[in-house]
Amino acid sequence: MIKVTVIAVGKLKEKYLKDACNEYLKRLCSYSKVNIVEIGEERCGDNPSQSEIEAVKEQEGKRIISKIPKGSYIVPMCIEGVQMSSEEFSKKLEKTAIEGFGEITFIIGGSFGLSNEVKDLGGLKLSFGKLTLPHQLMRVVLLEQIYRAFSISSN
């Protein structure tokens, strides 16, 4: 059984998002041990410059990297990543386990996305489409797709 870690920038604030995540975490416990690691969001003013945005991503990136489990297969969630069907995603999780990884780590960035340093660590850069989703909602979508992938694998 492959362990799953989700590193996410920011805390879930809305009850409905917390409830949805908790529901998928409950469902996932029969397939995998899932660990959610929340990283604090960097603050910046309204209308930040491009250099301020890059600084935010770099600071969040350093904190993210410090929390990645050693030897884990790393999957940054980013818009330029590869898109997969649920079946392809399921097969990728199976293949990752077969290749000897005991843990897979998904990374969800903050409002401005992920630093290039974090993206470059990825064995797979993954996208759930060209739509921009709020990073808090992305956590729910990711957990649902992980649950779906394990469900597909076990028929």
Side-chain angles (χ1 to χ4, degrees):
M1 179 186 312
I2 195 165
K3 282 177 49 182
V4 174
T5 296
V6 175
I7 299 175
V9 174
K11 294 194 179 306
L12 291 181
K13 295 175 181 95
E14 289 81 7
K15 183 181 182 318
Y16 69 95
L17 292 172
K18 288 179 187 173
D19 290 346
C21 283
N22 287 335
E23 177 62 28
Y24 285 112
L25 289 170
K26 188 172 72 182
R27 292 180 187 190
L28 275 162
C29 70
S30 60
Y31 297 112
S32 177
K33 182 180 183 308
V34 181
N35 184 31
I36 305 288
V37 178
E38 292 181 336
I39 303 293
E41 283 183 88
E42 273 301 299
R43 300 283 171 222
C44 69
D46 294 337
N47 301 316
S49 68
Q50 193 57 44
S51 65
E52 289 172 312
I53 289 170
E54 290 305 315
V56 165
K57 292 194 303 188
E58 293 305 314
Q59 288 303 314
E60 290 173 349
K62 285 183 174 81
R63 289 201 297 275
I64 289 168
I65 290 167
S66 75
K67 300 294 184 183
I68 297 172
K70 298 283 183 262
S72 181
Y73 186 82
I74 301 166
V75 181
M77 304 298 300
C78 48
I79 200 148
E80 69 270 22
V82 67
Q83 296 179 34
M84 300 179 169
S85 68
S86 295
E87 290 78 10
E88 290 167 329
F89 183 55
S90 177
K91 283 184 175 59
K92 180 61 181 173
L93 290 184
E94 284 179 22
K95 186 175 180 228
T96 301
I98 290 167
E99 289 172 353
F101 289 94
E103 186 160 3
I104 187 166
T105 299
F106 296 91
I107 303 171
I108 301 171
S111 299
F112 301 118
L114 293 168
S115 69
N116 288 331
E117 188 179 7
V118 171
K119 290 180 197 176
D120 290 344
L121 294 174
L124 167 71
K125 291 180 192 140
L126 186 62
S127 171
F128 285 163
K130 294 183 181 184
L131 295 173
T132 301
L133 296 174
H135 55 282
Q136 295 182 349
L137 182 58
M138 185 65 222
R139 194 183 313 187
V140 177
V141 174
L142 175 61
L143 289 172
E144 190 280 334
Q145 284 300 305
I146 294 168
Y147 170 71
R148 184 177 300 270
F150 283 126
S151 297
I152 290 168
S153 290
S154 53
N155 296 319

